[in-house]
Amino acid sequence: MSEGSMEPGGAPIRVVIVDDHQIFRTGLRAELGDELEVVGEAADVDEAVECISASAPDVVLLDVHLPGGSGGGGAEVLQRVAQRVQAESRSDPPHLAPAHPGQVSAVHGTRFLALSVSDAADDVVSVIRAGARGYLTKAASGAEVTAAVVRVHGGDAVFSPRLAGFVLDAFGTGLGETAARDDELDRLSAREQEVMRMIARGYAYKEVAAELFLSIKTVETHVSNVLRKLQLSNRHELTAWALQRRLL
Amino acid sequence: MDRPKLARSRDDRVIAGVCAGLAEHLGLPVMPVRIGMLGLVLLGGFGGLLYLWLWGTVPRAGETEGIVPLRRALTQPSGTHENTGVDAASAPGAAPAAHRPPAGAAEAAVPVAPALPVVPEEAAGAPPDAPHDSGSEAPRRRWPIAELLLGACLLITGLGLVLERLGVLLQLELLLPALAVLVGVGLTWWQIAERDRPDRNQLPRVLGALALVAVGVLMFFVTSREPSVWTVIAAAIAVLAGVALAIAPWVLRINRELIAERAARAREAERAHIAAHLHDSVLQTLALIQQRSEPGSEIARIARGQERELREWLFRGADGGSAPAREAVDAELRVHAQALEADYAVRFEIVAVGVGSGLLAPDPIVAAAREAMLNAARHAGGDVTVYLEATRDRIAIDVTDRGPGLDPDALPEGRMGVRESILGRMERAGGRATIVPGPGGSGTSVRLALPLDAGEDTEEDGR
């Protein structure tokens, strides 16, 4: 996933890095490309919520494991930011209008990209369900992170091969389940499965598009749909993870 | 002589199925046993005690082996019939020789409790932990010392009760010492004969305790007629001591288990603490090193290997158990990837779908995948993705690299690796192997697929 050339090269994308390790933040900051401008850093949940509310960045690079808050880590940051945004925009008490996954980006304009050293499925799924638009492992290079940020900023989802694997697993691809209609939330359509499979094989979107004879835009649409399903589906495997993390 | 083990019957029962179980064990019809038991009950309530005791100690039919140590003695497939006490005295002489091999087998099966240094007694003291196989128990043949001793005790006790009821003046001065001597001799024999028995501390203790209890009860009955302060005190002490003796092993074991559990919990907490710390600091640093170093460089490789190792350790710690079974296909590929990463400048990403908890794949596809991974490591390097997808009737493994590419038609004859180990092997196994260009037209994607026959293959359907 090293292409980001089709994105507009105008104003830099404003980025906040949330990670509890100074050394990692510094390292990442130095590695990020020129398209990005780091406008803030935060080391724990409370700091992150403050920082994001104050600077209203375009993209937040969010560590999954964070100290502080009530122990919810990155997912808690997402929820609290969403609640705050809702409270501001509707001046409703947050408990009357519970945060809906995926509304973070819709209201505030801030999108989240999860970064983690963890491979654990529940870590990944919890932040995605809380509203993150993508997931990368921390071993990703600066160029990869930059490309992912650009993609997330453009409204697309970023799936690492591993996340694609999780998705295929969680949606029962191994059991041969295929959605009959595209809007079915609990299963993937045949096309979406194909796209996920290619991503799990390590193909970039452009390469997936070439391989499946689709346009890049179509691939991106499929990926976004999968992300939406991942966030909204009530499939048992996903709700179990979500329940464990008290996301529902 | 394979006599059914003494077990409380589930279906045929009046109260707890003791009589039916006993009858089955002894090979007698149920009715006489019930009547006999009833008769014993009428004889001063002794049958009631016996019944309660059997109820408490004999496991129910079909139940896993009970906890009560005596059960072992009682359920031995006995080599002799019910005998008198005279035979009991002569019997144990043959016991040591007959008993040695099975005891060795029992000890071999002992080391189950994982973390603690296990003394043999401990495993025998905790039958729930030690899944002692009924298979090794079946061929064990020894003299039924416990039955004989117990029988003698009961016989004497019953006799005493009967005589006492019949108004015969009991010669306690004779009877009690005789009983004590009998029990004492039995215990000594027991100790000598069962020296290498893992639970040698348990049975004699319990037997002695029961004998003492019996003596105490007897003395109570006796003293009701000739009350004397000393007999009452002695009886009370005997009963108390007997109960204490009987309970002691259980108390000790419970205490031991408690200590072990507490220690295990402390270890787990410690481990979780360390894991959290390592996760936060070391993994991050390793990730950073990989990020900042040249892709494929020595440093990146070392960091990658260390990260993988650490991750595996942490993962194992989180489960609190052992590592996933090595035979599981994804685990096997991961191990292989780790080994290759140590030798080549390559980074494997392994994505497994539909594997559930430990899918066992047929050998040919695993071997072919390993070969493909080796090829990718050797000729391509860089990032290599291994995608494993298992469905009910099919398993597929794709190895995709971004190397210089490989034309399957232009393979030199010498490339045995690809031609034989991958293509040929998959064909022979009834599967399919195709080599296509990798992502973006560069590199190579080796796609292996093998149909699974539901009948023969070990498909562990997790859901």
Side-chain angles (χ1 to χ4, degrees):
Chain A
M1 276 184 259
S2 52
E3 91 264 44
S5 49
M6 70 247 173
E7 297 299 330
I13 301 169
R14 305 172 69 245
V15 174
V16 165
I17 301 176
V18 181
D19 195 297
D20 53 327
H21 287 84
Q22 171 71 39
I23 183 171
F24 187 83
R25 294 202 303 270
T26 318
L28 188 61
R29 193 172 192 154
E31 291 268 309
L32 290 178
D34 295 336
E35 309 95 299
L36 312 183
E37 180 198 352
V38 179
V39 296
E41 288 182 15
D44 61 36
V45 171
D46 304 307
E47 222 175 279
V49 174
E50 284 310 316
C51 178
I52 292 164
S53 306
S55 58
D58 297 320
V59 177
V60 177
L61 286 168
L62 184 63
D63 189 10
V64 174
H65 292 281
L66 274 182
S70 52
E76 192 187 341
V77 174
L78 280 156
Q79 281 169 314
R80 280 171 56 179
V81 170
Q83 279 173 5
R84 189 176 278 219
V85 166
Q86 271 186 343
E88 277 169 14
S89 62
R90 300 186 198 166
S91 60
D92 279 341
H95 60 87
L96 288 179
H100 197 270
Q103 275 194 346
V104 189
S105 49
V107 180
H108 198 283
T110 299
R111 299 180 201 277
F112 290 81
L113 175 62
L115 277 177
S116 172
V117 291
S118 167
D119 283 346
D122 49 358
D123 285 343
V124 180
V125 172
S126 68
V127 282
I128 295 286
R129 280 185 81 97
R133 298 287 297 169
Y135 166 81
L136 284 181
T137 53
K138 282 189 175 175
S141 70
E144 281 173 327
V145 175
T146 307
V149 168
V150 169
R151 191 175 289 287
V152 165
H153 178 56
D156 296 324
V158 171
F159 275 42
S160 65
R162 201 173 282 274
L163 180 54
F166 287 152
V167 169
L168 286 170
D169 220 358
F171 282 94
T173 306
L175 304 176
E177 294 185 31
T178 308
R181 292 169 296 123
D182 271 358
D183 54 351
E184 206 176 317
L185 276 181
D186 286 351
R187 283 179 293 187
L188 301 182
S189 71
R191 226 13 167 179
E192 286 162 355
Q193 286 185 10
E194 269 308 309
V195 171
M196 282 297 120
R197 269 199 197 101
M198 299 309 288
I199 293 173
R201 284 184 185 120
Y203 285 56
Y205 290 6
K206 197 170 62 183
E207 294 157 352
V208 175
E211 189 82 9
L212 298 179
F213 306 107
L214 301 170
S215 72
I216 291 183
K217 201 66 225 160
T218 314
V219 172
E220 283 165 351
T221 309
H222 282 311
V223 175
S224 294
N225 284 343
V226 172
L227 184 84
R228 197 171 54 88
K229 289 184 180 182
L230 188 58
Q231 285 168 346
L232 298 180
S233 165
N234 287 322
R235 250 192 102 87
H236 166 72
E237 292 86 349
L238 298 170
T239 45
W241 280 323
L243 278 177
Q244 255 174 12
R245 299 265 152 175
R246 300 208 205 130
L247 292 175
L248 284 183
Chain B
M1 193 180 291
D2 50 351
R3 165 180 303 202
K5 284 191 171 186
L6 183 52
R8 287 190 281 121
S9 173
R10 275 178 182 276
D11 338 303
D12 182 16
R13 61 187 203 181
V14 177
I15 301 175
V18 168
C19 286
L22 201 62
E24 199 184 341
H25 178 64
L26 298 175
L28 296 173
V30 183
M31 249 327 136
V33 177
R34 288 216 168 107
I35 291 169
M37 188 65 81
L38 212 60
L40 279 180
V41 172
L42 293 178
L43 286 177
F46 185 73
L49 282 179
L50 178 66
Y51 193 93
L52 284 178
W53 179 68
L54 284 173
W55 191 351
T57 53
V58 174
R60 261 200 317 180
E63 212 168 54
T64 46
E65 307 266 308
I67 302 172
V68 189
L70 246 178
R71 164 212 38 95
R72 285 185 134 210
L74 285 169
T75 54
Q76 297 299 340
S78 47
T80 55
H81 331 282
E82 282 62 47
N83 266 324
T84 54
V86 186
D87 281 336
S90 66
H99 183 61
R100 196 150 288 144
E107 286 211 35
V110 150
V112 179
L116 294 177
V118 183
V119 269
E121 289 97 320
E122 171 147 10
D129 295 334
H132 52 279
D133 33 345
S134 50
S136 85
E137 202 147 312
R140 174 189 295 177
R141 293 191 51 171
R142 13 169 251 97
W143 294 92
I145 305 161
E147 279 102 329
L148 296 179
L149 263 180
L150 199 70
C153 285
L154 292 180
L155 214 64
I156 291 172
T157 316
L159 210 66
L161 284 169
V162 171
L163 289 176
E164 190 260 341
R165 279 289 155 122
L166 291 177
V168 176
L169 189 66
L170 283 181
Q171 293 174 304
L172 273 184
E173 304 89 334
L174 270 178
L175 205 60
L176 284 184
L179 199 64
V181 164
L182 191 67
V183 171
V185 167
L187 286 178
T188 325
W189 274 111
W190 191 270
Q191 294 277 16
I192 295 169
E194 308 288 309
R195 176 136 325 262
D196 50 1
R197 202 181 148 84
D199 57 348
R200 61 181 186 274
N201 287 337
Q202 296 247 345
L203 275 173
R205 222 177 283 156
V206 176
L207 272 180
L210 287 166
L212 279 178
V213 171
V215 169
V217 171
L218 193 63
M219 282 172 109
F220 265 126
F221 279 106
V222 171
T223 49
S224 67
R225 179 167 292 190
E226 310 169 15
S228 136
V229 179
W230 293 112
T231 39
V232 171
I233 291 176
I237 290 177
V239 170
L240 280 180
V243 169
L245 214 59
I247 291 178
W250 280 279
V251 172
L252 281 180
R253 189 198 314 154
I254 287 171
N255 190 33
R256 210 157 41 201
E257 279 173 1
L258 201 71
I259 291 172
E261 194 190 322
R262 209 177 287 156
R265 212 180 300 141
R267 268 201 313 277
E268 200 44 58
E270 176 77 16
R271 187 178 183 131
H273 183 71
I274 295 175
H277 178 71
L278 291 180
H279 194 279
D280 279 0
S281 57
V282 183
L283 273 186
Q284 304 263 6
T285 313
L286 288 172
L288 191 68
I289 290 172
Q290 289 174 67
Q291 204 181 72
R292 307 284 308 260
S293 57
E294 283 294 309
S297 70
E298 181 79 2
I299 288 181
R301 211 162 68 205
I302 293 171
R304 178 83 175 160
Q306 286 298 312
E307 187 200 333
R308 224 176 253 267
E309 232 167 74
L310 183 58
R311 203 181 279 287
E312 192 167 312
W313 186 85
L314 290 175
F315 188 61
R316 201 174 350 175
D319 281 353
S322 55
R326 273 287 171 258
E327 309 86 58
V329 53
D330 53 328
E332 190 172 340
L333 292 182
R334 261 180 247 282
V335 170
H336 186 54
Q338 204 169 341
L340 288 177
E341 279 173 358
D343 291 339
Y344 299 96
V346 65
R347 205 171 92 180
F348 281 102
E349 173 106 53
I350 295 177
V351 178
V353 172
V355 171
S357 53
L359 175 104
L360 305 176
D363 280 339
I365 193 168
V366 177
R370 292 170 67 108
E371 191 63 33
M373 286 165 73
L374 175 64
N375 258 314
R378 199 183 277 157
H379 301 293
D383 283 323
V384 177
T385 320
V386 179
Y387 175 68
L388 164 77
E389 185 180 307
T391 59
R392 282 221 176 89
D393 46 2
R394 174 175 174 278
I395 183 164
I397 302 179
D398 299 348
V399 180
T400 307
D401 66 53
R402 290 163 178 276
L406 175 73
D407 184 358
D409 297 327
L411 278 179
E413 276 308 310
R415 290 287 292 274
M416 283 297 285
V418 172
R419 198 178 286 283
E420 251 323 289
S421 306
I422 300 179
L423 302 177
R425 185 179 266 148
M426 290 304 290
E427 260 165 43
R428 279 195 298 277
R432 197 165 44 81
T434 47
I435 297 177
V436 297
S442 75
T444 311
S445 189
V446 179
R447 307 205 167 160
L448 312 169
L450 192 65
L452 292 171
D453 317 340
E456 119 193 273
D457 278 308
T458 48
E459 187 187 8
E460 290 181 8
D461 202 348
R463 289 160 208 164

